Amino acid sequence: MKNFLDTANFNEIREAASTGLLDGVTTNPSLVAKENRPFKDIIKDICGIVKGDVSAEVTATDVEGMLSEGRELAKISDNVIVKVPLIKDGLIAVQRFSAEGIRCNVTLCFSPTQALLAAKAGAYIISPFIGRLDDISQTGMELISQIITIYRNYNFDTQVLVASIRNPVHVVESAMLGADIATMPYGVWTQLIKHPLTDIGLTRFLEDWKKVQAK
Ligand code: G3P
């Protein structure tokens, strides 16, 4: 499973990229709004350090507007994936982008029927939001399982990207279900590597080693 950061913050992306384990980045208008910098500059800077997929979202809600914004975003770098909302005009735009060779991440997916239509439209990535389903007392992970089954049944190439991840358990469950990508906030990314028993064990090893050297 590929691990992406869900952020537009350059420092977080640089820190994660320095591990050599960052596979890509997803952004959205809310994340970009936190940065107080021009959108295209943010995407350009991210693409300067991340060679994997970098999703940049259109804000138009009509087909022609999405096409116009998306074409401009795709020009920034070869690894820009145009993020399009899962609405009727979005699905029409995805088919047009696909015909032009522009790859799309279809976002704000909350149901298996939406995911099925996105795949039929030619989405490169589908982004089901699991945390927001959990927030309204639905089981977000169930949606991931349904989408993976449907895509396997019909050999769709569309990659399943688990979005709206809130904790490391979501990452584990995504991997166990065979999702293609998990995108997560920087805080969750840092939690993936940490375990208190690792820290306690290492401290003890190093203290014991000091005793050996003192002899
Ligand atoms: O980028 C889309 C998604 O991951 C947003 O997550 O936490 O705002 O529901 P969240």
Side-chain angles (χ1 to χ4, degrees):
M1 185 172 72
K2 291 179 198 163
N3 288 333
F4 286 13
L5 267 195
D6 195 27
T7 183
N9 184 278
F10 189 72
N11 291 333
E12 291 178 349
I13 293 165
R14 186 173 45 199
E15 189 62 32
S18 72
T19 65
L21 296 169
L22 180 65
D23 298 307
V25 170
T26 49
T27 65
N28 63 39
S30 304
L31 294 169
V32 168
K34 290 182 191 168
E35 300 305 314
N36 288 317
R37 293 178 58 214
F39 178 34
K40 285 185 185 168
D41 289 357
I42 290 174
I43 298 302
K44 199 172 169 188
D45 287 351
I46 295 172
C47 291
I49 56 168
V50 176
K51 297 303 155 210
D53 294 340
V54 175
S55 288
E57 188 160 342
V58 298
T59 51
T61 54
D62 62 294
V63 176
E64 293 308 324
M66 287 184 203
L67 289 171
S68 156
E69 278 184 38
R71 286 176 188 135
E72 289 304 309
L73 291 171
K75 280 183 201 160
I76 296 174
S77 177
D78 285 346
N79 56 329
V80 166
I81 310 300
V82 176
K83 214 171 172 188
V84 174
L86 211 161
I87 56 176
K88 187 181 73 177
D89 280 47
L91 293 178
I92 295 168
V94 169
Q95 293 168 72
R96 302 261 302 268
F97 279 131
S98 187
E100 294 176 20
I102 293 175
R103 295 173 297 169
C104 292
N105 174 353
V106 180
T107 188
L108 289 166
C109 172
F110 292 95
S111 80
T113 53
Q114 289 182 315
L116 176 59
L117 293 178
K120 286 169 79 78
Y124 172 68
I125 291 173
I126 184 72
S127 288
F129 279 31
I130 58 159
R132 294 190 194 184
L133 283 172
D134 289 353
D135 290 345
I136 59 162
S137 302
Q138 292 188 20
T139 308
M141 270 307 154
E142 179 61 27
L143 174 60
I144 303 303
S145 172
Q146 290 171 317
I147 295 172
I148 289 173
T149 300
I150 291 167
Y151 283 8
R152 282 189 186 149
N153 284 349
Y154 298 101
N155 292 320
F156 284 120
D157 291 333
T158 306
Q159 297 178 73
V160 179
L161 179 154
V162 183
S164 188
I165 278 178
R166 302 278 163 76
N167 56 59
V169 176
H170 280 153
V171 179
V172 173
E173 289 176 343
S174 301
M176 288 178 71
L177 286 172
D180 300 289
I181 305 159
T183 192
M184 65 203 82
Y186 182 71
V188 175
W189 167 277
T190 59
Q191 283 178 289
L192 299 188
I193 198 168
K194 294 287 282 182
H195 197 288
L197 289 179
T198 304
D199 296 341
I200 291 165
L202 182 58
T203 302
R204 196 176 298 159
F205 283 159
L206 295 178
E207 280 169 3
D208 289 341
W209 191 245
K210 272 188 205 156
K211 290 176 204 161
V212 172
Q213 288 179 314
K215 282 181 188 166

